[in-house]
Every structure is written in structure tokens, then in C-alpha cells.
Amino acid sequence: PCVRKYAEDIVKRDATPKFILQEIFHFLKEKKIVRPAYTTLQTVVSEALACERLRIKACLETYLRDVHKQS
């Protein structure tokens, strides 16, 4: 769970999967956590990206005026 939260925070800075993965590796090394399987890391990165897409979509829907939404 803590790695997922960290990934969600990282994706706000840079949404590049490679960057997110490198930061997760750094986090795991710093916390002395054994690196999970590749598919697990893939899932964590893709879920973080999906959450960020939803967050940005919600922000746009909230703050954009109708005039801007039409264009």
C-alpha cells in the first residue's frame, strides 16, 4: 500500500512510466524493501497513471467554464 501511494504522488510530477519506475526503485532501496515482481510493478505504475488521469479529469470538469469545455 505505501508503494502505491508513493507512485500516486510521483505521477503528479512526471507521468512517464520510466520515471515512475525509477522513483519506485529508489523508494524501495531507501526503505530496504525487496523489489516485487515485474507484473506487480507494472500494475502499480498503471494504476497510478489511471488515478492521475481521473484526478486531472475531475479538476478540468470542476474548474473549466462551459465556454472552454465546448472549444
Side-chain angles (χ1 to χ4, degrees):
C2 62
V3 175
R4 289 175 197 254
K5 176 66 177 140
Y6 185 74
E8 288 175 8
D9 292 340
I10 290 300
V11 78
K12 291 175 184 173
R13 288 194 294 164
D14 188 338
T16 310
K18 183 178 178 180
F19 174 78
I20 298 166
L21 192 59
Q22 288 172 340
E23 289 296 314
I24 289 173
F25 286 154
H26 178 73
F27 174 80
L28 293 172
K29 185 176 180 180
E30 187 177 279
K31 299 291 182 183
K32 297 182 181 178
I33 299 172
V34 176
R35 186 185 298 182
Y38 178 76
T39 53
T40 304
L41 291 171
Q42 247 182 339
T43 302
V44 169
V45 171
S46 62
E47 286 177 358
L49 289 167
C51 285
E52 183 62 7
R53 269 187 236 105
L54 291 174
R55 187 187 74 80
I56 290 172
K57 182 181 175 185
C59 288
L60 290 173
E61 288 174 353
T62 301
Y63 298 111
L64 277 182
R65 294 191 172 118
D66 290 334
V67 175
H68 296 115
K69 287 180 185 178
Q70 290 174 0
S71 63

Short mmCIF file of all heavy atoms in Angstrom, two decimals:
data_model
loop_
_atom_site.label_atom_id
_atom_site.label_comp_id
_atom_site.label_asym_id
_atom_site.label_seq_id
_atom_site.Cartn_x
_atom_site.Cartn_y
_atom_site.Cartn_z
N PRO A 1 0.81 -1.22 0.00
CA PRO A 1 0.00 0.00 0.00
C PRO A 1 0.85 1.27 0.00
O PRO A 1 0.51 2.23 -0.66
CB PRO A 1 -0.83 -0.09 1.26
CG PRO A 1 -0.88 -1.54 1.62
CD PRO A 1 0.39 -2.12 1.07
N CYS A 2 1.97 1.30 0.71
CA CYS A 2 2.78 2.51 0.77
C CYS A 2 3.45 2.78 -0.58
O CYS A 2 3.63 3.93 -0.95
CB CYS A 2 3.80 2.44 1.89
SG CYS A 2 4.99 1.11 1.72
N VAL A 3 3.79 1.76 -1.33
CA VAL A 3 4.40 1.93 -2.64
C VAL A 3 3.37 2.51 -3.61
O VAL A 3 3.69 3.38 -4.41
CB VAL A 3 4.98 0.60 -3.18
CG1 VAL A 3 5.49 0.75 -4.59
CG2 VAL A 3 6.08 0.10 -2.27
N ARG A 4 2.14 2.06 -3.50
CA ARG A 4 1.08 2.60 -4.37
C ARG A 4 0.85 4.08 -4.11
O ARG A 4 0.71 4.86 -5.04
CB ARG A 4 -0.22 1.83 -4.17
CG ARG A 4 -0.18 0.44 -4.71
CD ARG A 4 -1.45 -0.32 -4.39
NE ARG A 4 -1.25 -1.72 -4.56
CZ ARG A 4 -1.75 -2.41 -5.58
NH1 ARG A 4 -2.49 -1.82 -6.48
NH2 ARG A 4 -1.50 -3.69 -5.69
N LYS A 5 0.81 4.47 -2.86
CA LYS A 5 0.62 5.87 -2.50
C LYS A 5 1.80 6.70 -3.01
O LYS A 5 1.62 7.80 -3.53
CB LYS A 5 0.46 6.00 -0.98
CG LYS A 5 0.36 7.42 -0.49
CD LYS A 5 -0.91 8.09 -0.97
CE LYS A 5 -0.98 9.49 -0.39
NZ LYS A 5 -1.48 10.46 -1.35
N TYR A 6 2.99 6.17 -2.85
CA TYR A 6 4.19 6.86 -3.33
C TYR A 6 4.12 7.06 -4.84
O TYR A 6 4.42 8.13 -5.35
CB TYR A 6 5.45 6.08 -2.93
CG TYR A 6 6.72 6.78 -3.29
CD1 TYR A 6 7.15 7.88 -2.56
CD2 TYR A 6 7.49 6.37 -4.37
CE1 TYR A 6 8.32 8.54 -2.89
CE2 TYR A 6 8.65 7.02 -4.71
CZ TYR A 6 9.07 8.11 -3.97
OH TYR A 6 10.21 8.76 -4.31
N ALA A 7 3.70 6.03 -5.56
CA ALA A 7 3.58 6.11 -7.01
C ALA A 7 2.54 7.16 -7.41
O ALA A 7 2.74 7.92 -8.36
CB ALA A 7 3.21 4.75 -7.59
N GLU A 8 1.44 7.24 -6.67
CA GLU A 8 0.42 8.24 -6.96
C GLU A 8 0.96 9.66 -6.74
O GLU A 8 0.56 10.58 -7.45
CB GLU A 8 -0.82 8.01 -6.10
CG GLU A 8 -1.61 6.78 -6.53
CD GLU A 8 -2.77 6.47 -5.60
OE1 GLU A 8 -3.07 7.29 -4.70
OE2 GLU A 8 -3.37 5.40 -5.77
N ASP A 9 1.85 9.82 -5.79
CA ASP A 9 2.46 11.13 -5.55
C ASP A 9 3.48 11.46 -6.65
O ASP A 9 3.56 12.60 -7.12
CB ASP A 9 3.15 11.17 -4.18
CG ASP A 9 2.15 11.12 -3.04
OD1 ASP A 9 0.95 11.42 -3.26
OD2 ASP A 9 2.56 10.79 -1.91
N ILE A 10 4.24 10.48 -7.05
CA ILE A 10 5.28 10.66 -8.07
C ILE A 10 4.68 11.05 -9.41
O ILE A 10 5.19 11.91 -10.12
CB ILE A 10 6.13 9.37 -8.22
CG1 ILE A 10 6.99 9.16 -6.99
CG2 ILE A 10 7.00 9.41 -9.47
CD1 ILE A 10 7.95 10.28 -6.70
N VAL A 11 3.57 10.42 -9.77
CA VAL A 11 2.97 10.66 -11.08
C VAL A 11 2.48 12.11 -11.24
O VAL A 11 2.33 12.58 -12.35
CB VAL A 11 1.83 9.64 -11.35
CG1 VAL A 11 0.57 10.00 -10.61
CG2 VAL A 11 1.56 9.50 -12.83
N LYS A 12 2.32 12.80 -10.13
CA LYS A 12 1.93 14.21 -10.19
C LYS A 12 3.08 15.08 -10.68
O LYS A 12 2.86 16.17 -11.20
CB LYS A 12 1.45 14.69 -8.82
CG LYS A 12 0.14 14.06 -8.41
CD LYS A 12 -0.27 14.45 -7.02
CE LYS A 12 -1.52 13.71 -6.62
NZ LYS A 12 -1.86 13.92 -5.23
N ARG A 13 4.30 14.60 -10.52
CA ARG A 13 5.48 15.34 -11.00
C ARG A 13 5.82 15.02 -12.44
O ARG A 13 6.21 15.88 -13.22
CB ARG A 13 6.70 15.03 -10.13
CG ARG A 13 6.65 15.65 -8.77
CD ARG A 13 7.99 15.60 -8.11
NE ARG A 13 8.37 14.21 -7.84
CZ ARG A 13 9.59 13.83 -7.55
NH1 ARG A 13 10.57 14.69 -7.52
NH2 ARG A 13 9.85 12.57 -7.31
N ASP A 14 5.73 13.73 -12.78
CA ASP A 14 6.10 13.29 -14.13
C ASP A 14 5.33 12.01 -14.42
O ASP A 14 5.42 11.04 -13.66
CB ASP A 14 7.60 13.04 -14.19
CG ASP A 14 8.12 12.76 -15.58
OD1 ASP A 14 7.32 12.33 -16.45
OD2 ASP A 14 9.32 12.95 -15.81
N ALA A 15 4.59 11.99 -15.51
CA ALA A 15 3.75 10.85 -15.84
C ALA A 15 4.43 9.85 -16.77
O ALA A 15 3.77 9.02 -17.37
CB ALA A 15 2.44 11.32 -16.45
N THR A 16 5.73 9.92 -16.87
CA THR A 16 6.48 8.98 -17.69
C THR A 16 6.66 7.67 -16.92
O THR A 16 7.22 7.69 -15.82
CB THR A 16 7.86 9.55 -18.05
OG1 THR A 16 7.71 10.86 -18.55
CG2 THR A 16 8.58 8.67 -19.04
N PRO A 17 6.19 6.54 -17.47
CA PRO A 17 6.32 5.27 -16.75
C PRO A 17 7.76 4.95 -16.31
O PRO A 17 7.97 4.46 -15.20
CB PRO A 17 5.81 4.23 -17.75
CG PRO A 17 4.85 4.99 -18.59
CD PRO A 17 5.45 6.38 -18.72
N LYS A 18 8.72 5.27 -17.16
CA LYS A 18 10.13 5.01 -16.82
C LYS A 18 10.54 5.79 -15.58
O LYS A 18 11.20 5.25 -14.68
CB LYS A 18 11.03 5.36 -18.00
CG LYS A 18 12.49 5.05 -17.77
CD LYS A 18 13.32 5.38 -18.99
CE LYS A 18 14.78 5.11 -18.73
NZ LYS A 18 15.61 5.41 -19.90
N PHE A 19 10.16 7.07 -15.52
CA PHE A 19 10.48 7.90 -14.36
C PHE A 19 9.83 7.35 -13.10
O PHE A 19 10.46 7.25 -12.04
CB PHE A 19 10.03 9.34 -14.61
CG PHE A 19 10.21 10.23 -13.41
CD1 PHE A 19 11.45 10.74 -13.08
CD2 PHE A 19 9.13 10.56 -12.60
CE1 PHE A 19 11.62 11.55 -11.97
CE2 PHE A 19 9.29 11.37 -11.50
CZ PHE A 19 10.54 11.87 -11.18
N ILE A 20 8.56 6.99 -13.21
CA ILE A 20 7.82 6.46 -12.05
C ILE A 20 8.51 5.20 -11.54
O ILE A 20 8.72 5.04 -10.34
CB ILE A 20 6.36 6.17 -12.42
CG1 ILE A 20 5.65 7.45 -12.84
CG2 ILE A 20 5.62 5.52 -11.26
CD1 ILE A 20 4.33 7.22 -13.55
N LEU A 21 8.88 4.32 -12.45
CA LEU A 21 9.54 3.07 -12.08
C LEU A 21 10.88 3.33 -11.40
O LEU A 21 11.20 2.72 -10.38
CB LEU A 21 9.72 2.19 -13.31
CG LEU A 21 10.12 0.75 -13.07
CD1 LEU A 21 9.10 0.05 -12.19
CD2 LEU A 21 10.26 0.03 -14.39
N GLN A 22 11.67 4.26 -11.94
CA GLN A 22 12.96 4.59 -11.33
C GLN A 22 12.77 5.13 -9.92
O GLN A 22 13.52 4.78 -9.00
CB GLN A 22 13.70 5.61 -12.19
CG GLN A 22 14.25 5.04 -13.46
CD GLN A 22 14.83 6.12 -14.38
OE1 GLN A 22 14.51 7.30 -14.26
NE2 GLN A 22 15.67 5.70 -15.31
N GLU A 23 11.76 5.97 -9.74
CA GLU A 23 11.50 6.52 -8.42
C GLU A 23 11.02 5.45 -7.43
O GLU A 23 11.38 5.48 -6.26
CB GLU A 23 10.47 7.66 -8.50
CG GLU A 23 11.02 8.90 -9.17
CD GLU A 23 12.14 9.54 -8.37
OE1 GLU A 23 12.02 9.71 -7.15
OE2 GLU A 23 13.17 9.90 -8.99
N ILE A 24 10.23 4.51 -7.93
CA ILE A 24 9.80 3.40 -7.08
C ILE A 24 11.00 2.57 -6.66
O ILE A 24 11.12 2.18 -5.49
CB ILE A 24 8.74 2.53 -7.79
CG1 ILE A 24 7.42 3.29 -7.90
CG2 ILE A 24 8.53 1.21 -7.06
CD1 ILE A 24 6.36 2.59 -8.73
N PHE A 25 11.91 2.29 -7.59
CA PHE A 25 13.12 1.53 -7.26
C PHE A 25 13.93 2.26 -6.18
O PHE A 25 14.42 1.63 -5.24
CB PHE A 25 14.00 1.30 -8.49
CG PHE A 25 13.48 0.27 -9.44
CD1 PHE A 25 13.83 0.32 -10.78
CD2 PHE A 25 12.65 -0.75 -9.03
CE1 PHE A 25 13.37 -0.62 -11.68
CE2 PHE A 25 12.17 -1.70 -9.91
CZ PHE A 25 12.54 -1.64 -11.24
N HIS A 26 14.05 3.56 -6.34
CA HIS A 26 14.78 4.36 -5.34
C HIS A 26 14.08 4.27 -3.98
O HIS A 26 14.73 4.09 -2.95
CB HIS A 26 14.88 5.81 -5.80
CG HIS A 26 15.55 6.70 -4.82
ND1 HIS A 26 16.91 6.67 -4.59
CD2 HIS A 26 15.05 7.64 -3.99
CE1 HIS A 26 17.21 7.55 -3.65
NE2 HIS A 26 16.10 8.16 -3.27
N PHE A 27 12.76 4.39 -3.98
CA PHE A 27 11.98 4.30 -2.75
C PHE A 27 12.17 2.94 -2.07
O PHE A 27 12.39 2.86 -0.86
CB PHE A 27 10.50 4.53 -3.07
CG PHE A 27 9.58 4.33 -1.90
CD1 PHE A 27 9.43 5.32 -0.94
CD2 PHE A 27 8.82 3.17 -1.78
CE1 PHE A 27 8.56 5.15 0.13
CE2 PHE A 27 7.96 2.99 -0.71
CZ PHE A 27 7.84 3.98 0.25
N LEU A 28 12.08 1.87 -2.86
CA LEU A 28 12.23 0.52 -2.31
C LEU A 28 13.63 0.31 -1.71
O LEU A 28 13.77 -0.27 -0.63
CB LEU A 28 11.97 -0.53 -3.40
CG LEU A 28 10.53 -0.61 -3.92
CD1 LEU A 28 10.47 -1.54 -5.13
CD2 LEU A 28 9.58 -1.08 -2.83
N LYS A 29 14.63 0.81 -2.41
CA LYS A 29 16.01 0.68 -1.91
C LYS A 29 16.19 1.46 -0.62
O LYS A 29 16.78 0.96 0.34
CB LYS A 29 16.99 1.18 -2.97
CG LYS A 29 18.43 0.97 -2.60
CD LYS A 29 19.35 1.41 -3.73
CE LYS A 29 20.79 1.20 -3.32
NZ LYS A 29 21.72 1.62 -4.37
N GLU A 30 15.65 2.68 -0.59
CA GLU A 30 15.78 3.54 0.59
C GLU A 30 15.09 2.92 1.81
O GLU A 30 15.61 2.98 2.92
CB GLU A 30 15.14 4.89 0.27
CG GLU A 30 15.34 5.94 1.33
CD GLU A 30 14.74 7.26 0.91
OE1 GLU A 30 15.40 7.99 0.14
OE2 GLU A 30 13.61 7.54 1.34
N LYS A 31 13.93 2.30 1.59
CA LYS A 31 13.17 1.68 2.69
C LYS A 31 13.59 0.24 2.95
O LYS A 31 13.03 -0.41 3.82
CB LYS A 31 11.67 1.72 2.37
CG LYS A 31 11.11 3.11 2.19
CD LYS A 31 11.10 3.86 3.49
CE LYS A 31 10.47 5.23 3.30
NZ LYS A 31 10.49 6.03 4.49
N LYS A 32 14.56 -0.24 2.15
CA LYS A 32 15.06 -1.61 2.28
C LYS A 32 13.94 -2.64 2.13
O LYS A 32 13.80 -3.58 2.91
CB LYS A 32 15.81 -1.80 3.60
CG LYS A 32 17.04 -0.92 3.67
CD LYS A 32 17.82 -1.13 4.94
CE LYS A 32 19.00 -0.17 4.88
NZ LYS A 32 19.82 -0.23 6.04
N ILE A 33 13.15 -2.43 1.08
CA ILE A 33 12.05 -3.33 0.75
C ILE A 33 12.46 -4.14 -0.48
O ILE A 33 13.02 -3.59 -1.42
CB ILE A 33 10.76 -2.54 0.43
CG1 ILE A 33 10.34 -1.71 1.66
CG2 ILE A 33 9.63 -3.46 0.00
CD1 ILE A 33 9.20 -0.74 1.39
N VAL A 34 12.20 -5.43 -0.44
CA VAL A 34 12.54 -6.30 -1.56
C VAL A 34 11.70 -5.91 -2.77
O VAL A 34 10.49 -5.68 -2.66
CB VAL A 34 12.28 -7.78 -1.20
CG1 VAL A 34 12.54 -8.69 -2.39
CG2 VAL A 34 13.15 -8.19 -0.03
N ARG A 35 12.35 -5.83 -3.91
CA ARG A 35 11.68 -5.44 -5.15
C ARG A 35 10.63 -6.49 -5.53
O ARG A 35 10.94 -7.68 -5.61
CB ARG A 35 12.70 -5.32 -6.27
CG ARG A 35 12.13 -4.78 -7.56
CD ARG A 35 13.12 -4.80 -8.67
NE ARG A 35 14.28 -3.96 -8.39
CZ ARG A 35 15.27 -3.78 -9.22
NH1 ARG A 35 15.28 -4.39 -10.39
NH2 ARG A 35 16.28 -3.00 -8.91
N PRO A 36 9.39 -6.06 -5.75
CA PRO A 36 8.35 -7.02 -6.15
C PRO A 36 8.52 -7.48 -7.59
O PRO A 36 9.36 -6.96 -8.33
CB PRO A 36 7.05 -6.22 -5.98
CG PRO A 36 7.44 -4.80 -6.04
CD PRO A 36 8.86 -4.72 -5.57
N ALA A 37 7.69 -8.42 -7.99
CA ALA A 37 7.74 -8.95 -9.35
C ALA A 37 7.43 -7.86 -10.37
O ALA A 37 6.77 -6.86 -10.06
CB ALA A 37 6.74 -10.09 -9.50
N TYR A 38 7.89 -8.07 -11.58
CA TYR A 38 7.71 -7.09 -12.66
C TYR A 38 6.23 -6.78 -12.88
O TYR A 38 5.85 -5.62 -13.05
CB TYR A 38 8.35 -7.62 -13.94
CG TYR A 38 8.16 -6.70 -15.12
CD1 TYR A 38 8.91 -5.54 -15.24
CD2 TYR A 38 7.23 -6.99 -16.11
CE1 TYR A 38 8.74 -4.68 -16.32
CE2 TYR A 38 7.05 -6.15 -17.19
CZ TYR A 38 7.81 -4.99 -17.29
OH TYR A 38 7.63 -4.16 -18.35
N THR A 39 5.39 -7.81 -12.89
CA THR A 39 3.96 -7.59 -13.14
C THR A 39 3.33 -6.76 -12.03
O THR A 39 2.43 -5.96 -12.28
CB THR A 39 3.20 -8.92 -13.30
OG1 THR A 39 3.47 -9.76 -12.18
CG2 THR A 39 3.60 -9.64 -14.57
N THR A 40 3.79 -6.93 -10.82
CA THR A 40 3.30 -6.13 -9.70
C THR A 40 3.67 -4.67 -9.90
O THR A 40 2.83 -3.78 -9.71
CB THR A 40 3.87 -6.64 -8.36
OG1 THR A 40 3.55 -8.03 -8.21
CG2 THR A 40 3.32 -5.86 -7.19
N LEU A 41 4.91 -4.43 -10.30
CA LEU A 41 5.35 -3.06 -10.56
C LEU A 41 4.57 -2.45 -11.73
O LEU A 41 4.19 -1.27 -11.68
CB LEU A 41 6.84 -3.03 -10.86
CG LEU A 41 7.75 -3.35 -9.68
CD1 LEU A 41 9.18 -3.50 -10.13
CD2 LEU A 41 7.64 -2.28 -8.61
N GLN A 42 4.31 -3.25 -12.74
CA GLN A 42 3.52 -2.79 -13.88
C GLN A 42 2.13 -2.35 -13.43
O GLN A 42 1.63 -1.31 -13.85
CB GLN A 42 3.35 -3.92 -14.90
CG GLN A 42 4.05 -3.71 -16.18
CD GLN A 42 3.77 -4.86 -17.14
OE1 GLN A 42 3.40 -5.96 -16.75
NE2 GLN A 42 3.98 -4.60 -18.40
N THR A 43 1.54 -3.14 -12.57
CA THR A 43 0.21 -2.83 -12.05
C THR A 43 0.22 -1.55 -11.23
O THR A 43 -0.66 -0.70 -11.38
CB THR A 43 -0.31 -4.00 -11.18
OG1 THR A 43 -0.33 -5.19 -11.98
CG2 THR A 43 -1.70 -3.72 -10.64
N VAL A 44 1.22 -1.40 -10.38
CA VAL A 44 1.33 -0.20 -9.55
C VAL A 44 1.46 1.05 -10.42
O VAL A 44 0.77 2.06 -10.20
CB VAL A 44 2.53 -0.31 -8.57
CG1 VAL A 44 2.81 1.02 -7.90
CG2 VAL A 44 2.26 -1.38 -7.53
N VAL A 45 2.32 0.99 -11.43
CA VAL A 45 2.53 2.14 -12.31
C VAL A 45 1.26 2.45 -13.10
O VAL A 45 0.82 3.61 -13.18
CB VAL A 45 3.73 1.91 -13.26
CG1 VAL A 45 3.81 3.00 -14.32
CG2 VAL A 45 5.02 1.86 -12.46
N SER A 46 0.63 1.43 -13.67
CA SER A 46 -0.57 1.69 -14.48
C SER A 46 -1.72 2.19 -13.63
O SER A 46 -2.49 3.07 -14.08
CB SER A 46 -0.98 0.44 -15.27
OG SER A 46 -1.29 -0.62 -14.42
N GLU A 47 -1.86 1.71 -12.40
CA GLU A 47 -2.92 2.21 -11.51
C GLU A 47 -2.65 3.65 -11.10
O GLU A 47 -3.58 4.45 -11.01
CB GLU A 47 -3.06 1.32 -10.28
CG GLU A 47 -3.72 -0.01 -10.57
CD GLU A 47 -3.79 -0.92 -9.36
OE1 GLU A 47 -3.28 -0.55 -8.28
OE2 GLU A 47 -4.35 -2.03 -9.49
N ALA A 48 -1.40 3.99 -10.87
CA ALA A 48 -1.06 5.37 -10.51
C ALA A 48 -1.37 6.31 -11.68
O ALA A 48 -1.91 7.40 -11.47
CB ALA A 48 0.42 5.47 -10.13
N LEU A 49 -1.06 5.88 -12.89
CA LEU A 49 -1.36 6.69 -14.07
C LEU A 49 -2.87 6.86 -14.26
O LEU A 49 -3.36 7.94 -14.59
CB LEU A 49 -0.73 6.08 -15.32
CG LEU A 49 0.78 6.19 -15.40
CD1 LEU A 49 1.33 5.29 -16.51
CD2 LEU A 49 1.21 7.63 -15.63
N ALA A 50 -3.62 5.78 -14.03
CA ALA A 50 -5.08 5.85 -14.15
C ALA A 50 -5.67 6.80 -13.12
O ALA A 50 -6.56 7.60 -13.44
CB ALA A 50 -5.68 4.45 -14.02
N CYS A 51 -5.18 6.73 -11.89
CA CYS A 51 -5.65 7.63 -10.83
C CYS A 51 -5.36 9.08 -11.18
O CYS A 51 -6.19 9.96 -10.95
CB CYS A 51 -5.01 7.28 -9.49
SG CYS A 51 -5.67 5.81 -8.73
N GLU A 52 -4.20 9.33 -11.74
CA GLU A 52 -3.83 10.69 -12.12
C GLU A 52 -4.71 11.21 -13.25
O GLU A 52 -5.14 12.36 -13.25
CB GLU A 52 -2.35 10.77 -12.51
CG GLU A 52 -1.87 12.15 -12.83
CD GLU A 52 -1.95 13.15 -11.70
OE1 GLU A 52 -2.27 12.79 -10.55
OE2 GLU A 52 -1.70 14.35 -11.96
N ARG A 53 -5.01 10.35 -14.21
CA ARG A 53 -5.91 10.75 -15.29
C ARG A 53 -7.28 11.16 -14.74
O ARG A 53 -7.85 12.17 -15.14
CB ARG A 53 -6.09 9.61 -16.30
CG ARG A 53 -5.11 9.66 -17.43
CD ARG A 53 -5.42 8.63 -18.50
NE ARG A 53 -4.24 7.81 -18.67
CZ ARG A 53 -4.09 6.57 -18.23
NH1 ARG A 53 -5.06 5.95 -17.62
NH2 ARG A 53 -2.96 5.92 -18.41
N LEU A 54 -7.79 10.36 -13.80
CA LEU A 54 -9.08 10.67 -13.19
C LEU A 54 -9.03 11.96 -12.39
O LEU A 54 -9.96 12.75 -12.40
CB LEU A 54 -9.54 9.51 -12.30
CG LEU A 54 -9.93 8.22 -13.02
CD1 LEU A 54 -10.23 7.11 -12.02
CD2 LEU A 54 -11.14 8.47 -13.93
N ARG A 55 -7.94 12.19 -11.69
CA ARG A 55 -7.77 13.40 -10.89
C ARG A 55 -7.75 14.63 -11.80
O ARG A 55 -8.45 15.62 -11.53
CB ARG A 55 -6.48 13.34 -10.07
CG ARG A 55 -6.31 14.49 -9.10
CD ARG A 55 -4.94 14.44 -8.45
NE ARG A 55 -3.89 14.87 -9.35
CZ ARG A 55 -3.60 16.15 -9.62
NH1 ARG A 55 -4.28 17.12 -9.07
NH2 ARG A 55 -2.62 16.44 -10.45
N ILE A 56 -7.01 14.54 -12.88
CA ILE A 56 -6.93 15.67 -13.82
C ILE A 56 -8.29 15.91 -14.47
O ILE A 56 -8.73 17.05 -14.62
CB ILE A 56 -5.83 15.43 -14.86
CG1 ILE A 56 -4.46 15.52 -14.19
CG2 ILE A 56 -5.94 16.42 -16.01
CD1 ILE A 56 -3.31 15.12 -15.07
N LYS A 57 -8.96 14.83 -14.85
CA LYS A 57 -10.29 14.95 -15.45
C LYS A 57 -11.25 15.64 -14.49
O LYS A 57 -12.00 16.54 -14.90
CB LYS A 57 -10.82 13.57 -15.83
CG LYS A 57 -12.16 13.60 -16.50
CD LYS A 57 -12.64 12.20 -16.83
CE LYS A 57 -14.05 12.25 -17.40
NZ LYS A 57 -14.61 10.92 -17.62
N ALA A 58 -11.23 15.26 -13.23
CA ALA A 58 -12.11 15.88 -12.24
C ALA A 58 -11.79 17.36 -12.07
O ALA A 58 -12.70 18.19 -11.96
CB ALA A 58 -11.99 15.15 -10.91
N CYS A 59 -10.51 17.70 -12.06
CA CYS A 59 -10.11 19.11 -11.96
C CYS A 59 -10.61 19.91 -13.15
O CYS A 59 -11.13 21.02 -12.98
CB CYS A 59 -8.59 19.24 -11.85
SG CYS A 59 -7.91 18.72 -10.29
N LEU A 60 -10.45 19.36 -14.33
CA LEU A 60 -10.89 20.05 -15.54
C LEU A 60 -12.41 20.24 -15.54
O LEU A 60 -12.91 21.31 -15.88
CB LEU A 60 -10.45 19.30 -16.79
CG LEU A 60 -8.96 19.32 -17.08
CD1 LEU A 60 -8.63 18.41 -18.25
CD2 LEU A 60 -8.47 20.73 -17.35
N GLU A 61 -13.13 19.22 -15.14
CA GLU A 61 -14.59 19.32 -15.09
C GLU A 61 -15.04 20.34 -14.05
O GLU A 61 -16.05 21.02 -14.24
CB GLU A 61 -15.21 17.95 -14.81
CG GLU A 61 -15.11 17.00 -15.98
CD GLU A 61 -15.60 15.60 -15.66
OE1 GLU A 61 -15.91 15.31 -14.49
OE2 GLU A 61 -15.69 14.79 -16.61
N THR A 62 -14.29 20.45 -12.98
CA THR A 62 -14.66 21.37 -11.91
C THR A 62 -14.34 22.82 -12.26
O THR A 62 -15.16 23.71 -12.04
CB THR A 62 -13.92 21.00 -10.61
OG1 THR A 62 -14.26 19.66 -10.26
CG2 THR A 62 -14.30 21.92 -9.47
N TYR A 63 -13.18 23.07 -12.82
CA TYR A 63 -12.70 24.43 -12.96
C TYR A 63 -12.86 25.05 -14.35
O TYR A 63 -12.78 26.27 -14.50
CB TYR A 63 -11.24 24.53 -12.52
CG TYR A 63 -11.08 24.18 -11.07
CD1 TYR A 63 -10.44 23.02 -10.67
CD2 TYR A 63 -11.61 25.00 -10.08
CE1 TYR A 63 -10.31 22.70 -9.32
CE2 TYR A 63 -11.49 24.68 -8.74
CZ TYR A 63 -10.83 23.53 -8.37
OH TYR A 63 -10.73 23.20 -7.05
N LEU A 64 -13.07 24.23 -15.38
CA LEU A 64 -13.26 24.80 -16.70
C LEU A 64 -14.68 25.32 -16.86
O LEU A 64 -15.63 24.67 -16.46
CB LEU A 64 -13.00 23.75 -17.79
CG LEU A 64 -11.57 23.52 -18.20
CD1 LEU A 64 -11.51 22.48 -19.32
CD2 LEU A 64 -10.88 24.78 -18.64
N ARG A 65 -14.79 26.46 -17.47
CA ARG A 65 -16.12 27.02 -17.75
C ARG A 65 -16.67 26.33 -18.98
O ARG A 65 -15.95 25.75 -19.80
CB ARG A 65 -16.00 28.52 -17.98
CG ARG A 65 -15.58 29.25 -16.73
CD ARG A 65 -15.75 30.74 -16.92
NE ARG A 65 -15.52 31.39 -15.65
CZ ARG A 65 -14.54 32.27 -15.43
NH1 ARG A 65 -13.71 32.60 -16.40
NH2 ARG A 65 -14.40 32.83 -14.24
N ASP A 66 -17.99 26.40 -19.14
CA ASP A 66 -18.66 25.75 -20.27
C ASP A 66 -18.12 26.21 -21.61
O ASP A 66 -18.01 25.43 -22.55
CB ASP A 66 -20.17 25.97 -20.20
CG ASP A 66 -20.80 25.20 -19.04
OD1 ASP A 66 -20.22 24.17 -18.65
OD2 ASP A 66 -21.86 25.64 -18.55
N VAL A 67 -17.80 27.50 -21.69
CA VAL A 67 -17.26 28.06 -22.95
C VAL A 67 -15.98 27.33 -23.34
O VAL A 67 -15.77 26.97 -24.50
CB VAL A 67 -17.00 29.57 -22.79
CG1 VAL A 67 -16.34 30.13 -24.02
CG2 VAL A 67 -18.28 30.30 -22.46
N HIS A 68 -15.12 27.10 -22.36
CA HIS A 68 -13.86 26.43 -22.63
C HIS A 68 -14.06 24.95 -22.92
O HIS A 68 -13.33 24.37 -23.72
CB HIS A 68 -12.89 26.61 -21.46
CG HIS A 68 -12.52 28.04 -21.24
ND1 HIS A 68 -12.88 28.73 -20.11
CD2 HIS A 68 -11.84 28.92 -22.01
CE1 HIS A 68 -12.43 29.96 -20.19
NE2 HIS A 68 -11.79 30.10 -21.34
N LYS A 69 -15.02 24.34 -22.26
CA LYS A 69 -15.29 22.92 -22.49
C LYS A 69 -15.74 22.69 -23.93
O LYS A 69 -15.38 21.69 -24.54
CB LYS A 69 -16.36 22.42 -21.52
CG LYS A 69 -15.88 22.27 -20.10
CD LYS A 69 -16.99 21.76 -19.21
CE LYS A 69 -16.58 21.73 -17.76
NZ LYS A 69 -17.65 21.28 -16.87
N GLN A 70 -16.53 23.61 -24.49
CA GLN A 70 -17.01 23.46 -25.86
C GLN A 70 -15.88 23.55 -26.86
O GLN A 70 -15.89 22.86 -27.87
CB GLN A 70 -18.06 24.52 -26.16
CG GLN A 70 -19.36 24.30 -25.41
CD GLN A 70 -20.34 25.44 -25.62
OE1 GLN A 70 -20.04 26.39 -26.31
NE2 GLN A 70 -21.51 25.32 -25.01
N SER A 71 -14.91 24.39 -26.59
CA SER A 71 -13.80 24.53 -27.53
C SER A 71 -12.80 23.43 -27.31
O SER A 71 -12.14 22.98 -28.18
CB SER A 71 -13.13 25.88 -27.39
OG SER A 71 -12.55 26.02 -26.12
#
